[in-house]
Amino acid sequence: MTEVTGMTFSTAEIFKQPRDIRIFCPHGRKLASLVGLSDRNPLLGFGLEEIAYAGRWSAGAGRSAVMGLSWQQGPLATRSIGRFLIEQPLPERLLFAEPLRRRMRVQLGGEWVADSEDVVLLHEPGRYPVAYFPVGDVKADVLQKTDRVTQHRDLGTTAWFTVTVADRSAERAAWQHVELPDHAGELRDRVAFAWRGMDAFYEEDERIVGHAADPYHRNDIRSTSRHLVVRDGERVIADTRRPVVLYESGFAPRWYVPREDVDETALTPVEGQTFCPYKGLASYYDIGGHARAAWSYLEAWPEVDRVRGLVSFEPDKIEVHLDGRRLELAPGQTVVPHGIDRGLDPSEILKRS
């Protein structure tokens, strides 16, 4: 079975054998919605009202990254590590809306239910970006209003819709803010779709996963000649002067070591992988008595191909020294699940070249 932020589904059909997949890291593209869905409903047992404003799991076609504008440690997030250099403090919550300036499409039951070049992206503190489509760019008669009405703390009354096509119906799979305050007019007459409620989202002809692409989200990879040593007590696990450092927005640097500079006899592969939609599936290794102390993206996606097959080590589980200084896990590095509305199909991860 696979556990995704508290949700359980079977991956036996996905991988042709049972495998434990724990999905933590929020970003991605070219994936599909979960298979082996919960028997409770097609949304893994969660009502969409629980999902939509819990946020979006990230997606990004093209550039890869991890912070975003309003989540993790981004500038509008509640956990931001920076600050605006102004005399008066900013409001506790700042919502930011902007044109996406990309053609975006939504698919359900083999039909395009929305197709627009006029999408507005909403950045909400602690949430992944949400795409809002003009009502006029939504296929006629696919939205059926329900009795469900909720209140958004900043945007007011929210009406919910069932999305129906010829042979498919997704309950509470879209919403619209129907009593917006004057200062939020950018979202007027626009509809957002629950990510897991739909079959797929696309930018042009490329599928994106998890949430609308976040333009403020990136990874940068750099080569360096710094001296990195990994130890388990007296045993040297890795010793290199050619590590690769991955700078991921909102996170401390992660150091990757070529396998030629790693004592691979010290690495014990373990079951269970985590998925980062901007890097792919991470495989894990125990080192001595240290569980999951190292990981590797064996089939890293093209955007981060430079770390493919390299090994990184968790400094709070194993000794990692950089130029003689022992590294520690920096505060705020745990990936925070900003909402549960995330559609992922690990089988497509394995198919991606």
Side-chain angles (χ1 to χ4, degrees), residues 18-306:
R19 186 183 301 220
D20 173 34
I21 304 279
R22 287 182 291 168
I23 298 178
F24 299 120
C25 189
H27 2 288
R29 75 167 190 169
K30 280 193 177 178
L31 304 174
S33 53
L34 288 163
V35 299
L37 298 177
S38 165
D39 292 334
R40 284 176 286 174
N41 63 42
L43 301 174
L44 300 184
F46 288 89
L48 287 173
E49 70 277 14
E50 301 174 67
I51 292 173
Y53 271 100
R56 304 285 108 177
W57 279 97
S58 165
R63 293 292 307 216
S64 41
V66 162
M67 177 178 67
L69 184 65
S70 59
W71 51 282
Q72 198 63 30
Q73 293 181 325
L76 298 184
T78 55
R79 290 156 36 96
S80 176
I81 59 173
R83 71 180 186 90
F84 291 93
L85 302 182
I86 56 176
E87 183 177 359
Q88 298 297 325
L90 291 172
E92 181 180 355
R93 287 174 54 83
L94 280 175
L95 276 64
F96 180 70
E98 63 177 337
L100 180 61
R101 295 191 289 193
R102 307 182 188 189
R103 181 194 181 197
M104 194 169 178
R105 300 188 288 169
V106 184
Q107 192 176 68
L108 178 67
E111 298 186 29
W112 297 110
V113 298
D115 185 337
S116 181
E117 297 183 55
D118 184 27
V119 172
V120 167
L121 203 62
L122 175 65
H123 302 267
E124 181 179 352
R127 305 290 187 240
Y128 297 125
V130 178
Y132 283 79
F133 293 77
V135 172
D137 290 341
V138 177
K139 186 176 180 179
D141 301 324
V142 300
L143 298 179
Q144 286 81 48
K145 194 170 184 179
T146 71
D147 294 333
R148 175 78 180 175
V149 176
T150 58
Q151 291 293 320
H152 186 281
R153 61 186 293 184
D154 302 295
L155 302 175
T157 302
T158 302
W160 290 83
F161 300 86
T162 294
V163 182
T164 302
V165 294
D167 58 350
R168 289 280 302 280
S169 183
E171 296 183 1
R172 296 194 298 272
W175 68 93
Q176 180 183 19
H177 305 298
V178 293
E179 295 180 357
L180 285 162
D182 291 340
H183 61 263
E186 288 82 356
L187 301 180
R188 188 163 288 116
D189 298 322
R190 292 180 178 272
V191 175
F193 294 88
W195 208 267
R196 190 174 296 121
M198 300 295 99
D199 288 343
F201 289 74
Y202 286 78
E203 287 182 359
E204 297 296 344
D205 294 335
E206 291 201 14
R207 189 166 190 171
I208 55 175
V209 182
H211 70 63
D214 190 333
Y216 305 99
H217 192 108
R218 60 180 293 131
N219 279 319
D220 291 303
I221 300 171
R222 302 289 183 261
S223 298
T224 181
S225 57
R226 299 177 74 176
H227 189 198
L228 188 139
V229 179
V230 181
R231 296 180 179 274
D232 181 14
E234 296 299 318
R235 184 177 184 179
V236 175
I237 308 301
D239 189 335
T240 187
R241 292 185 180 274
R242 51 173 186 164
V244 170
V245 57
L246 187 149
Y247 298 109
E248 196 161 23
S249 303
F251 290 87
R254 291 295 194 179
W255 302 85
Y256 287 80
V257 180
R259 285 185 179 263
E260 296 85 354
D261 298 336
V262 177
D263 178 2
E264 293 197 63
T265 66
L267 306 182
T268 302
V270 296
E271 287 295 316
Q273 294 172 297
T274 60
F275 171 60
C276 172
Y278 286 103
K279 296 190 289 293
L281 285 173
S283 298
Y284 286 81
Y285 306 90
D286 292 347
I287 301 176
H290 309 287
R292 301 168 73 87
W295 71 90
S296 179
Y297 291 96
L298 301 177
E299 299 292 336
W301 287 3
E303 294 87 347
V304 292
D305 188 66
R306 292 174 64 187

